[in-house]
Amino acid sequence: MFSTDKNIETIGQLIEVLKHYVGLQNEYLRLDVIEKVVRLITALTIAAVVFLIVIIIFIYLSFAAAYAMAPYTGFPLAFLIVAAFYLLIFLLFLAFRKNWIEKPLVKFLASLLMEQ
């Protein structure tokens, strides 16, 4: 009584459109995940390169500072002062790691991954 050829054809078209829609949503989800992974890898690569450059700069500055202090304190004490400075920085980072490192990193990653 309710099923006519036109109704069956319309339901068939609706099912085909829904299949196409689900396929497109699946493709969109895959592309979105790929984009976010690529952005994350890019950010990590840039951070690694910047980190290595900063480390090299700190090494050269450390030697320059030690050699600059050497005439006044002697080489062993100059290098000890530079090492103590880095120990102090390490302890500060250890004490404030949540505020200085973890929270900004979580915010950055969340903004990177949640952005649409």
Side-chain angles (χ1 to χ4, degrees):
M1 174 169 154
F2 288 110
S3 73
T4 63
D5 288 339
K6 185 164 173 90
N7 287 345
I8 292 173
E9 185 180 317
T10 304
I11 291 172
Q13 288 175 348
L14 179 63
I15 289 172
E16 288 299 317
V17 168
L18 283 173
K19 284 181 183 178
H20 184 68
Y21 175 76
V22 169
L24 289 176
Q25 285 296 328
N26 195 11
E27 181 78 16
Y28 174 75
L29 183 63
R30 277 189 286 170
L31 290 174
D32 191 43
V33 168
I34 289 170
E35 177 196 5
K36 289 181 188 221
V37 167
V38 167
R39 290 176 64 195
L40 182 63
I41 290 172
T42 302
L44 290 173
T45 304
I46 290 171
V49 168
V50 168
F51 180 74
L52 287 174
I53 291 171
V54 167
I55 291 296
I56 292 170
I57 289 170
F58 275 135
I59 288 172
Y60 278 106
L61 287 175
S62 298
F63 277 107
Y67 278 102
M69 286 187 283
Y72 306 108
T73 62
F75 281 106
L77 187 58
F79 280 102
L80 186 63
I81 291 170
V82 171
F85 174 74
Y86 283 120
L87 179 64
L88 177 67
I89 290 176
F90 173 73
L91 292 175
L92 284 172
F93 269 103
L94 197 62
F96 297 107
R97 70 181 174 271
K98 286 195 189 292
N99 291 333
W100 291 354
I101 299 171
E102 289 178 18
K103 286 181 183 178
L105 187 60
V106 167
K107 285 181 183 177
F108 170 72
L109 290 176
S111 70
L112 185 71
L113 296 175
M114 295 302 212
E115 186 177 283
Q116 290 192 10

Coordinates of all heavy atoms in Angstrom, one line a residue, residues 55-113:
I55 N 71.7 25.6 21.7 CA 72.7 24.8 22.4 C 74.1 25.2 21.9 O 75.0 25.4 22.7 CB 72.4 23.3 22.3 CG1 71.2 22.9 23.1 CG2 73.6 22.5 22.8 CD1 71.3 23.1 24.5
I56 N 74.2 25.2 20.6 CA 75.5 25.6 20.0 C 75.9 27.0 20.4 O 77.1 27.3 20.8 CB 75.5 25.5 18.5 CG1 75.4 24.0 18.1 CG2 76.8 26.1 17.8 CD1 75.1 23.7 16.7
I57 N 75.0 27.9 20.4 CA 75.2 29.3 20.8 C 75.6 29.4 22.3 O 76.6 30.0 22.6 CB 74.0 30.2 20.6 CG1 73.8 30.4 19.1 CG2 74.1 31.5 21.3 CD1 72.5 31.1 18.7
F58 N 74.9 28.6 23.1 CA 75.3 28.6 24.6 C 76.7 28.0 24.8 O 77.4 28.4 25.7 CB 74.3 27.8 25.4 CG 73.1 28.6 25.8 CD1 71.8 28.1 25.7 CD2 73.3 29.9 26.3 CE1 70.7 28.9 26.1 CE2 72.2 30.7 26.7 CZ 70.9 30.2 26.6
I59 N 77.1 27.0 24.0 CA 78.4 26.4 24.2 C 79.5 27.5 23.8 O 80.4 27.7 24.6 CB 78.6 25.2 23.3 CG1 77.8 24.0 23.8 CG2 80.0 24.8 23.1 CD1 77.7 22.8 22.9
Y60 N 79.3 28.2 22.7 CA 80.3 29.2 22.4 C 80.3 30.4 23.4 O 81.4 30.9 23.7 CB 80.0 29.7 21.0 CG 80.6 28.8 19.9 CD1 79.8 28.0 19.1 CD2 82.0 28.8 19.7 CE1 80.3 27.2 18.2 CE2 82.5 27.9 18.7 CZ 81.7 27.2 18.0 OH 82.2 26.3 17.0
L61 N 79.1 30.8 23.8 CA 79.1 31.8 24.8 C 79.7 31.4 26.2 O 80.3 32.2 26.8 CB 77.6 32.3 25.0 CG 77.0 33.1 23.9 CD1 75.5 33.4 24.2 CD2 77.8 34.4 23.7
S62 N 79.5 30.2 26.5 CA 80.1 29.6 27.7 C 81.6 29.7 27.7 O 82.3 30.1 28.6 CB 79.7 28.2 28.0 OG 78.3 28.1 28.1
F63 N 82.2 29.2 26.6 CA 83.6 29.3 26.4 C 84.1 30.8 26.4 O 85.1 31.1 27.0 CB 84.1 28.6 25.2 CG 84.2 27.1 25.4 CD1 83.3 26.2 24.8 CD2 85.3 26.6 26.1 CE1 83.4 24.9 25.0 CE2 85.4 25.2 26.3 CZ 84.5 24.3 25.8
A64 N 83.4 31.6 25.7 CA 83.7 33.0 25.7 C 83.7 33.7 27.1 O 84.6 34.4 27.5 CB 82.8 33.8 24.7
A65 N 82.7 33.3 27.9 CA 82.6 33.9 29.2 C 83.7 33.3 30.1 O 84.3 34.1 30.9 CB 81.2 33.5 29.8
A66 N 84.0 32.1 30.0 CA 85.0 31.5 30.8 C 86.4 32.1 30.4 O 87.2 32.4 31.3 CB 85.1 30.0 30.6
Y67 N 86.7 32.2 29.1 CA 87.9 32.8 28.7 C 88.0 34.3 29.1 O 89.1 34.8 29.4 CB 88.2 32.6 27.2 CG 88.7 31.2 26.9 CD1 87.9 30.2 26.4 CD2 90.1 30.9 27.1 CE1 88.4 29.0 26.1 CE2 90.6 29.7 26.9 CZ 89.7 28.7 26.4 OH 90.2 27.4 26.1
A68 N 86.9 35.0 29.1 CA 86.9 36.4 29.5 C 87.2 36.5 31.0 O 87.8 37.5 31.4 CB 85.6 37.0 29.1
M69 N 86.7 35.6 31.8 CA 86.9 35.7 33.3 C 88.3 35.1 33.7 O 88.7 35.3 34.8 CB 85.8 34.9 34.0 CG 84.5 35.5 34.0 SD 83.3 34.7 35.1 CE 82.9 33.3 34.1
A70 N 88.9 34.3 32.8 CA 90.1 33.6 33.2 C 91.2 34.5 33.6 O 91.9 34.2 34.6 CB 90.6 32.8 32.0
P71 N 91.5 35.7 33.0 CA 92.6 36.6 33.5 C 92.3 37.0 35.0 O 93.3 37.3 35.7 CB 92.6 37.7 32.6 CG 91.9 37.3 31.3 CD 90.9 36.2 31.8
Y72 N 91.1 37.1 35.4 CA 90.8 37.6 36.7 C 90.7 36.5 37.7 O 91.0 36.7 38.9 CB 89.4 38.4 36.7 CG 89.4 39.5 35.6 CD1 88.7 39.4 34.5 CD2 90.2 40.7 35.8 CE1 88.7 40.4 33.5 CE2 90.2 41.7 34.8 CZ 89.5 41.5 33.7 OH 89.5 42.5 32.7
T73 N 90.2 35.3 37.3 CA 90.0 34.3 38.3 C 90.8 33.0 38.1 O 90.9 32.2 38.9 CB 88.5 33.8 38.3 OG1 88.2 33.3 37.0 CG2 87.6 35.0 38.6
G74 N 91.4 32.9 36.9 CA 92.1 31.7 36.5 C 91.1 30.8 35.8 O 89.9 30.9 35.9
F75 N 91.7 29.9 34.9 CA 90.8 29.0 34.1 C 89.9 28.1 34.9 O 88.7 28.0 34.6 CB 91.6 28.3 33.1 CG 92.0 29.1 31.9 CD1 93.3 29.5 31.8 CD2 91.1 29.4 30.9 CE1 93.7 30.3 30.7 CE2 91.5 30.2 29.9 CZ 92.8 30.6 29.7
P76 N 90.4 27.4 35.9 CA 89.5 26.5 36.6 C 88.4 27.2 37.3 O 87.2 26.7 37.2 CB 90.4 25.8 37.7 CG 91.8 26.0 37.1 CD 91.8 27.3 36.4
L77 N 88.6 28.3 37.9 CA 87.5 29.0 38.6 C 86.5 29.6 37.6 O 85.3 29.6 37.8 CB 88.1 30.0 39.6 CG 87.0 30.7 40.5 CD1 86.3 29.7 41.3 CD2 87.7 31.8 41.3
A78 N 87.0 30.1 36.5 CA 86.2 30.7 35.4 C 85.2 29.6 34.9 O 84.0 29.8 34.8 CB 87.0 31.3 34.3
F79 N 85.7 28.4 34.6 CA 84.9 27.4 34.1 C 83.9 26.9 35.2 O 82.8 26.5 34.9 CB 85.7 26.2 33.6 CG 86.2 26.5 32.2 CD1 87.5 26.8 32.0 CD2 85.4 26.3 31.1 CE1 88.0 27.1 30.7 CE2 85.8 26.6 29.8 CZ 87.1 27.0 29.6
L80 N 84.4 26.9 36.4 CA 83.5 26.5 37.6 C 82.3 27.5 37.7 O 81.2 27.1 38.0 CB 84.3 26.4 38.8 CG 83.6 25.9 40.1 CD1 83.1 24.5 39.9 CD2 84.4 26.0 41.3
I81 N 82.6 28.8 37.5 CA 81.6 29.8 37.6 C 80.5 29.6 36.5 O 79.3 29.7 36.8 CB 82.2 31.2 37.6 CG1 83.0 31.5 38.9 CG2 81.1 32.3 37.4 CD1 83.8 32.8 38.8
V82 N 81.0 29.3 35.3 CA 80.1 29.1 34.2 C 79.2 27.9 34.5 O 78.0 27.8 34.3 CB 80.9 29.0 32.9 CG1 79.9 28.5 31.7 CG2 81.5 30.3 32.5
A83 N 79.9 26.8 35.0 CA 79.1 25.6 35.3 C 78.1 25.8 36.4 O 77.0 25.3 36.4 CB 80.1 24.5 35.7
A84 N 78.5 26.6 37.4 CA 77.6 27.0 38.5 C 76.4 27.8 38.0 O 75.2 27.6 38.4 CB 78.3 27.7 39.6
F85 N 76.6 28.6 37.0 CA 75.5 29.4 36.4 C 74.5 28.5 35.7 O 73.3 28.6 35.8 CB 76.1 30.4 35.4 CG 75.1 31.1 34.6 CD1 74.3 32.1 35.2 CD2 74.9 30.8 33.3 CE1 73.3 32.8 34.4 CE2 73.9 31.5 32.5 CZ 73.2 32.5 33.1
Y86 N 75.1 27.5 35.0 CA 74.2 26.5 34.3 C 73.5 25.6 35.3 O 72.3 25.2 35.1 CB 75.0 25.7 33.3 CG 75.2 26.5 32.0 CD1 76.5 26.7 31.6 CD2 74.2 27.0 31.2 CE1 76.7 27.4 30.4 CE2 74.4 27.7 30.1 CZ 75.7 27.9 29.7 OH 75.9 28.6 28.5
L87 N 74.1 25.3 36.4 CA 73.5 24.5 37.4 C 72.3 25.3 38.0 O 71.3 24.7 38.3 CB 74.5 24.1 38.5 CG 73.9 23.3 39.7 CD1 73.4 21.9 39.2 CD2 75.0 23.1 40.7
L88 N 72.5 26.6 38.2 CA 71.5 27.4 38.8 C 70.3 27.5 37.8 O 69.1 27.4 38.2 CB 72.0 28.8 39.0 CG 71.0 29.9 39.5 CD1 70.5 29.5 40.9 CD2 71.6 31.2 39.5
I89 N 70.6 27.6 36.5 CA 69.5 27.7 35.5 C 68.8 26.3 35.5 O 67.5 26.3 35.4 CB 70.1 28.0 34.1 CG1 70.5 29.4 34.1 CG2 69.0 27.7 33.0 CD1 71.2 29.9 32.8
F90 N 69.5 25.2 35.6 CA 68.9 23.9 35.6 C 68.0 23.7 36.8 O 66.8 23.2 36.7 CB 70.0 22.8 35.6 CG 69.4 21.4 35.8 CD1 68.7 20.8 34.8 CD2 69.6 20.8 37.0 CE1 68.2 19.5 35.0 CE2 69.1 19.5 37.3 CZ 68.4 18.9 36.2
L91 N 68.4 24.2 38.0 CA 67.6 24.1 39.2 C 66.3 24.9 39.1 O 65.3 24.5 39.5 CB 68.4 24.4 40.4 CG 69.5 23.4 40.8 CD1 70.3 24.0 41.9 CD2 68.9 22.1 41.1
L92 N 66.5 26.1 38.5 CA 65.3 27.0 38.3 C 64.3 26.3 37.3 O 63.1 26.3 37.6 CB 65.7 28.3 37.7 CG 66.3 29.3 38.7 CD1 66.8 30.5 38.0 CD2 65.3 29.7 39.8
F93 N 64.8 25.7 36.3 CA 63.9 25.0 35.3 C 63.2 23.8 36.0 O 62.1 23.5 35.8 CB 64.6 24.6 34.1 CG 64.6 25.6 33.0 CD1 65.7 26.4 32.7 CD2 63.4 25.8 32.2 CE1 65.6 27.3 31.7 CE2 63.4 26.7 31.2 CZ 64.5 27.5 31.0
L94 N 64.0 23.1 36.8 CA 63.4 22.0 37.6 C 62.4 22.4 38.5 O 61.3 21.8 38.6 CB 64.6 21.3 38.3 CG 64.3 19.9 38.8 CD1 64.0 18.9 37.6 CD2 65.5 19.3 39.6
A95 N 62.6 23.5 39.2 CA 61.6 24.0 40.2 C 60.3 24.6 39.5 O 59.2 24.4 40.0 CB 62.2 25.1 41.1
F96 N 60.5 25.2 38.4 CA 59.4 25.9 37.7 C 59.0 25.2 36.4 O 58.4 25.9 35.5 CB 59.7 27.4 37.5 CG 59.9 28.2 38.7 CD1 61.2 28.6 39.1 CD2 58.8 28.5 39.5 CE1 61.4 29.3 40.2 CE2 59.0 29.2 40.7 CZ 60.3 29.6 41.0
R97 N 59.2 23.9 36.3 CA 59.0 23.3 35.0 C 57.5 23.2 34.6 O 57.2 23.3 33.4 CB 59.6 21.8 35.0 CG 58.9 20.9 35.9 CD 59.5 19.5 35.9 NE 58.9 18.6 36.8 CZ 59.3 18.5 38.1 NH1 60.3 19.2 38.5 NH2 58.7 17.6 38.9
K98 N 56.6 23.1 35.6 CA 55.2 23.1 35.2 C 54.8 24.4 34.6 O 54.1 24.5 33.6 CB 54.4 22.8 36.5 CG 54.5 21.4 36.9 CD 53.3 21.0 37.9 CE 53.5 19.7 38.5 NZ 53.4 18.6 37.6
N99 N 55.2 25.6 35.2 CA 54.8 26.9 34.7 C 55.5 27.3 33.5 O 55.0 27.9 32.6 CB 55.0 27.9 35.8 CG 54.0 27.8 36.9 OD1 52.9 27.2 36.8 ND2 54.4 28.2 38.1
W100 N 56.8 26.9 33.4 CA 57.6 27.4 32.2 C 57.6 26.4 31.0 O 57.8 26.9 29.9 CB 59.0 27.6 32.7 CG 59.3 28.7 33.6 CD1 58.3 29.6 34.0 CD2 60.5 29.0 34.3 NE1 58.9 30.5 34.9 CE2 60.2 30.2 35.1 CE3 61.7 28.5 34.3 CZ2 61.2 30.8 35.9 CZ3 62.7 29.1 35.1 CH2 62.4 30.2 35.9
I101 N 57.4 25.1 31.3 CA 57.5 24.2 30.2 C 56.2 23.4 29.9 O 55.7 23.4 28.8 CB 58.7 23.2 30.4 CG1 60.0 24.0 30.5 CG2 58.7 22.2 29.3 CD1 61.1 23.1 31.0
E102 N 55.7 22.8 31.0 CA 54.5 21.9 30.8 C 53.3 22.6 30.3 O 52.6 22.2 29.3 CB 54.3 21.0 32.0 CG 55.3 20.0 32.3 CD 55.1 19.2 33.5 OE1 53.9 19.2 34.0 OE2 56.0 18.6 34.0
K103 N 52.9 23.7 31.1 CA 51.7 24.4 30.7 C 51.7 25.0 29.4 O 50.8 24.9 28.6 CB 51.3 25.4 31.8 CG 50.8 24.8 33.1 CD 50.5 25.8 34.1 CE 50.0 25.2 35.4 NZ 49.7 26.2 36.4
P104 N 52.8 25.8 29.0 CA 52.8 26.3 27.7 C 52.9 25.3 26.6 O 52.2 25.4 25.5 CB 54.1 27.1 27.6 CG 54.4 27.4 29.1 CD 53.9 26.3 29.8
L105 N 53.5 24.1 26.8 CA 53.6 23.1 25.8 C 52.2 22.4 25.6 O 51.8 22.2 24.5 CB 54.6 22.0 26.3 CG 54.9 20.9 25.2 CD1 55.4 21.5 24.0 CD2 55.9 19.9 25.8
V106 N 51.5 22.2 26.7 CA 50.1 21.6 26.6 C 49.2 22.6 25.9 O 48.4 22.2 25.0 CB 49.6 21.3 28.0 CG1 48.1 21.0 28.0 CG2 50.4 20.1 28.6
K107 N 49.3 23.9 26.2 CA 48.5 24.9 25.5 C 48.8 24.9 24.0 O 47.9 25.0 23.2 CB 48.7 26.3 26.1 CG 48.0 26.4 27.5 CD 48.2 27.8 28.0 CE 47.6 28.0 29.4 NZ 47.8 29.3 29.9
F108 N 50.1 24.9 23.7 CA 50.5 24.9 22.3 C 50.0 23.7 21.5 O 49.4 23.8 20.4 CB 52.0 25.0 22.2 CG 52.6 24.8 20.8 CD1 52.4 25.8 19.8 CD2 53.2 23.7 20.4 CE1 52.8 25.6 18.5 CE2 53.7 23.5 19.2 CZ 53.5 24.5 18.2
L109 N 50.2 22.5 22.1 CA 49.8 21.3 21.5 C 48.2 21.2 21.3 O 47.7 20.8 20.3 CB 50.3 20.1 22.2 CG 51.8 19.8 22.0 CD1 52.2 18.7 22.9 CD2 52.2 19.6 20.6
A110 N 47.6 21.7 22.4 CA 46.1 21.7 22.3 C 45.6 22.7 21.2 O 44.7 22.3 20.5 CB 45.5 22.1 23.7
S111 N 46.2 23.8 21.1 CA 45.8 24.8 20.1 C 46.1 24.3 18.7 O 45.4 24.5 17.8 CB 46.4 26.1 20.3 OG 47.8 26.1 20.1
L112 N 47.3 23.6 18.6 CA 47.7 23.0 17.3 C 46.7 21.9 16.9 O 46.3 21.8 15.7 CB 49.1 22.5 17.4 CG 49.8 22.0 16.2 CD1 50.0 23.2 15.3 CD2 51.1 21.3 16.5
L113 N 46.4 21.0 17.8 CA 45.6 19.9 17.4 C 44.1 20.1 17.4 O 43.3 19.5 16.7 CB 45.9 18.7 18.4 CG 47.3 18.2 18.3 CD1 47.5 17.1 19.4 CD2 47.6 17.6 16.9

